[in-house]
């Protein structure tokens, strides 16, 4: 089927005797610190930490930005200067996350869902860092998987298979076998294309009639008949739609939910016990940092709440970007400033290889300097570009910034989703390390940066 829902299903046991569940690391390496103006702790995270009690403070359930400029002109995250973090890690581009912000974002969804039977299925494709996945699992999230390897990773991270959804198009047979654990009855959702325009970039629109995803709604009966022909193998438990990504109008979700419950009525009328409605994810964030008031998780859930309750359904949502994007920035250093006579450029050590959204989608992500510029620094309009040999290698265009000095820090905001997970080694730019700031203010490495030696190992013995 177009979507396979693993809830209450016997085909993925909670404890699998499989090497995927084994921890390949035998110790926690401690990284040396460079001198900083403000002491803090830096360590590599390997083992899982016990879940912490979530704050009940409603103020912390709002989407707040964890990277902010202080009155001293420096950029801070959770009380730490980003400049201090830069001086304490290897001199290369890196991703920096706020672990408390991840918790706050999950709380916002959890609070919004109060009164509903629900699953928050984190979309692993947005960011597949193992330590982040473990944290989200500890906070009670399920997982949304679109490949066999994402399923393997979810199991490694300890996700409960009964709170996982395996979906997407064009699944390989071996991936389906992995999800179904061959020979058992499978819980399935039918992913229906409701033909609703999400009013987003066409690359991230997934719920209109021209999309490759889902089944044509007028072909629903054909799929119902197929399920009826396999009562011992398939159990239809719900319906699913996914409209797209970066959505900023929640009435689109309302319209889709209204259509979907009509399909559920039709399915139930044929004797199926359908208990789940999956409305997908796709809630947008304020990439422009313009102060725009965008819909919150509560706005989204309240839009569909009455519809879900009217049919006594369990609600599944699949947030990815809205859980993780605003928890992270991509940290770079300026290597130079140049002009070609008509264009000014800030050249940095990061590139489209590490963060491709601007090049791929023309996406905007807010950019600013990490430390205050000198009083006499000229403010100009720049393209922020990297060292990759492509004219498409830019992180931002036409940005008004103070002219930086060589070595200054520059960050790209809201880089938690679809940035590191889409990074490449183009031009042999090795994928960067990742760090997060923890609740107590310490900085921990959560992914090692790749090296040239890592690349060479792929050819050992050939």
């Amino acid at each position: 089927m177009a979507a396979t829902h693993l809830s209450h299903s016997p085909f993925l046991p909670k404890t699998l005797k499989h090497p995927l569940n084994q921890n390949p690391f035998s110790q926690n390496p401690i990284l040396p610190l460079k001198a900083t103006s403000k002491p803090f702790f830096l360590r590599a995270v390997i083992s899982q930490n016990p879940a912490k009690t979530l704050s009940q403070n409603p103020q912390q359930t709002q989407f707040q930005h964890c990277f902010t400029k202080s009155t001293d002109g420096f950029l801070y995250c959770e009380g730490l200067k980003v400049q201090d973090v830069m001086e304490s890690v290897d001199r290369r581009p890196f991703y920096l996350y706020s672990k408390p912000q991840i918790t706050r974002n999950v709380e916002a969804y959890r609070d919004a869902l109060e009164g509903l039977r629900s699953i928050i299925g984190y979309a692993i494709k947005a960011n597949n860092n193992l330590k982040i996945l473990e944290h989200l699992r500890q906070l009670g999230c399920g997982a949304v998987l679109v490949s066999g390897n994402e399923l393997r990773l979810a199991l490694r991270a300890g996700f409960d298979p009964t709170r996982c959804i395996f979906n997407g198009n064009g699944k390989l047979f071996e991936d389906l076998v992995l999800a179904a654990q061959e020979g058992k009855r499978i819980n399935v959702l039918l992913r229906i294309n409701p033909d609703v325009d999400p009013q987003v970039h066409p690359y991230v629109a997934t719920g209109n009639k021209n999309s490759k995803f889902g089944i044509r709604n007028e072909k629903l009966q054909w799929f119902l008949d197929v399920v009826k022909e396999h009562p011992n193998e398939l159990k239809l438990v719900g319906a699913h739609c996914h409209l797209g990504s970066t959505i900023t109008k929640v009435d689109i979700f309302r319209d889709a939910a209204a259509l979907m419950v009509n399909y559920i009525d039709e399915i139930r009328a044929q004797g199926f016990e359908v208990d789940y409605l999956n409305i997908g994810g796709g809630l947008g964030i304020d990439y422009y940092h313009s102060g725009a008031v965008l819909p919150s998780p509560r706005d989204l859930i309240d839009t569909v709440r009455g519809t879900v309750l009217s049919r006594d359904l369990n609600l599944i949502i699949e947030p990815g970007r809205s859980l993780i994007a605003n928890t992270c920035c991509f940290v770079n250093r300026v290597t130079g400033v140049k002009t070609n006579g008509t264009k000014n450029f800030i050249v940095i050590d990061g590139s489209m290889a590490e963060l491709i959204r601007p090049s791929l989608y023309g996406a905007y992500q807010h950019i600013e300097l990490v430390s205050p510029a000198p009083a006499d620094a000229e403010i100009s309009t720049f393209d922020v570009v990297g060292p990759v040999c492509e004219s498409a290698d830019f992180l931002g265009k036409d940005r008004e910034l103070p002219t930086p000095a060589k070595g200054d820090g520059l960050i790209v905001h809201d880089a938690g989703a679809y940035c590191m997970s889409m990074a490449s080694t183009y031009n042999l730019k090795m994928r960067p390390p990742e760090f997060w700031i923890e609740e107590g203010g310490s900085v921990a490495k959560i992914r090692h940066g790749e090296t040239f030696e890592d690349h060479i190992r792929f050819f050992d013995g050939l």
Side-chain angles (χ1 to χ4, degrees):
M1 294 299 106
T4 302
H5 176 218
L6 309 183
S7 180
H8 308 300
S9 172
F11 52 81
L12 273 179
K14 285 192 176 183
T15 303
L16 295 181
K17 294 181 179 179
H18 195 286
L20 294 175
N21 288 334
Q22 298 173 6
N23 191 332
F25 301 102
S26 58
Q27 58 183 351
N28 295 357
I30 305 298
L31 301 182
L33 280 177
K34 300 175 185 176
T36 66
S37 59
K38 180 177 180 179
F40 58 89
F41 301 101
L42 175 65
R43 63 180 176 81
V45 175
I46 298 298
S47 61
Q48 297 182 19
N49 295 322
K52 297 183 180 292
T53 302
L54 295 178
S55 168
Q56 299 303 311
N57 184 353
Q59 295 264 339
Q60 292 185 323
T61 64
Q62 301 301 311
F63 272 38
Q64 17 184 315
H65 214 282
C66 52
F67 292 92
T68 56
K69 276 284 182 72
S70 183
T71 53
D72 62 5
F74 285 92
L75 187 74
Y76 286 79
C77 180
E78 304 297 341
L80 290 182
K81 280 184 181 178
V82 174
Q83 183 70 45
D84 288 346
V85 179
M86 293 178 65
E87 293 171 358
S88 301
V89 301
D90 291 342
R91 192 177 180 86
R92 61 184 293 184
F94 64 93
Y95 282 94
L96 179 64
Y97 298 82
S98 161
K99 187 178 181 183
Q101 184 67 43
I102 297 173
T103 301
R104 290 191 289 264
N105 289 353
V106 172
E107 283 186 308
Y109 270 103
R110 191 186 62 177
D111 293 349
L113 288 161
E114 186 176 359
L116 295 175
R117 300 191 307 275
S118 62
I119 293 175
I120 302 173
Y122 168 68
I124 287 181
K125 65 189 176 78
N127 186 306
N128 55 31
N129 182 287
L130 178 61
K131 309 316 299 179
I132 291 173
L133 297 184
E134 289 175 348
H135 182 53
L136 290 168
R137 185 262 301 164
Q138 290 166 351
L139 294 174
C141 290
V144 174
L145 326 161
V146 296
S147 72
N149 281 339
E150 286 191 355
L151 173 54
R152 291 181 176 94
L153 186 63
L155 297 176
R156 176 73 68 86
F159 281 96
D160 181 351
T162 69
R163 295 177 61 79
C164 293
I165 300 94
F166 186 47
N167 68 31
N169 74 300
K171 289 292 160 280
L172 300 176
F173 178 75
E174 53 265 34
D175 289 349
L176 292 174
V177 170
L178 177 64
Q181 293 292 285
E182 195 171 7
K184 306 290 177 63
R185 195 178 188 210
I186 305 167
N187 287 347
V188 297
L189 299 164
L190 288 179
R191 180 166 176 173
I192 300 171
N193 186 327
D195 194 16
V196 172
D197 180 7
Q199 302 175 35
V200 297
H201 190 287
Y203 287 7
V204 292
T206 59
N208 54 42
K209 65 182 179 181
N210 295 320
S211 172
K212 69 178 182 178
F213 297 97
I215 65 174
R216 291 165 54 189
N217 51 44
E218 64 267 27
K219 294 294 184 179
L220 174 61
Q221 188 59 52
W222 184 92
F223 286 92
L224 295 178
D225 291 341
V226 170
V227 174
K228 290 175 184 177
E229 292 171 4
H230 299 276
N232 297 323
E233 295 86 16
L234 303 177
K235 181 182 179 183
L236 181 58
V237 298
H240 175 205
C241 70
H242 197 297
L243 305 178
S245 194
T246 68
I247 298 172
T248 58
K249 298 179 180 179
V250 292
D251 57 351
I252 294 170
F253 291 97
R254 178 201 62 209
D255 295 345
L259 289 172
M260 293 300 293
V261 295
N262 288 335
Y263 294 128
I264 287 175
D265 290 343
E266 182 179 340
I267 295 168
R268 283 176 168 175
Q270 298 189 37
F272 292 101
E273 296 179 3
V274 173
D275 297 318
Y276 291 89
L277 171 61
N278 184 339
I279 61 168
L283 190 64
I285 68 166
D286 181 16
Y287 278 113
Y288 285 86
H289 289 210
S290 63
V293 179
L294 297 181
S296 67
R298 183 169 295 279
D299 294 328
L300 167 59
I301 301 304
D302 284 350
T303 299
V304 302
R305 183 183 303 276
T307 304
V308 172
L309 291 173
S310 72
R311 301 305 197 278
D312 192 26
L313 292 164
N314 296 273
L315 179 64
I316 301 172
I317 57 170
E318 301 182 353
R321 184 188 316 274
S322 57
L323 278 185
I324 201 70
N326 72 346
T327 71
C328 175
C329 67
F330 180 46
V331 185
N332 309 266
R333 283 180 171 83
V334 174
T335 61
V337 177
K338 65 179 290 187
T339 181
N340 63 8
T342 58
K343 270 276 189 183
N344 301 316
F345 300 92
I346 296 174
V347 187
I348 58 174
D349 53 359
S351 71
M352 65 181 288
E354 295 94 348
L355 197 160
I356 199 172
R357 291 186 71 252
S359 300
L360 182 62
Y361 302 132
Y364 180 98
Q365 291 182 233
H366 190 60
I367 291 173
E368 63 181 326
L369 300 177
V370 165
S371 57
D376 60 350
E378 182 180 356
I379 297 176
S380 297
T381 300
F382 296 95
D383 284 5
V384 179
V385 300
V388 162
C389 192
E390 292 279 350
S391 294
D393 180 26
F394 62 90
L395 281 299
K397 290 192 171 184
D398 298 324
R399 304 303 177 88
E400 191 172 276
L401 293 164
T403 302
K406 181 178 181 179
D408 283 356
L410 178 148
I411 71 156
V412 181
H413 279 283
D414 304 307
Y418 305 103
C419 293
M420 183 61 178
S421 66
M422 299 177 75
S424 74
T425 58
Y426 186 46
N427 283 197
L428 276 187
K429 290 272 290 173
M430 310 314 295
R431 279 179 282 254
E434 295 178 285
F435 302 85
W436 68 14
I437 297 173
E438 297 186 301
E439 291 84 353
S442 61
V443 178
K445 179 182 279 190
I446 58 174
R447 178 178 172 134
H448 296 295
E450 295 178 10
T451 67
F452 177 74
E453 289 70 26
D454 293 327
H455 179 74
I456 291 299
R457 274 195 286 272
F458 287 116
F459 307 96
D460 286 350
L462 299 180

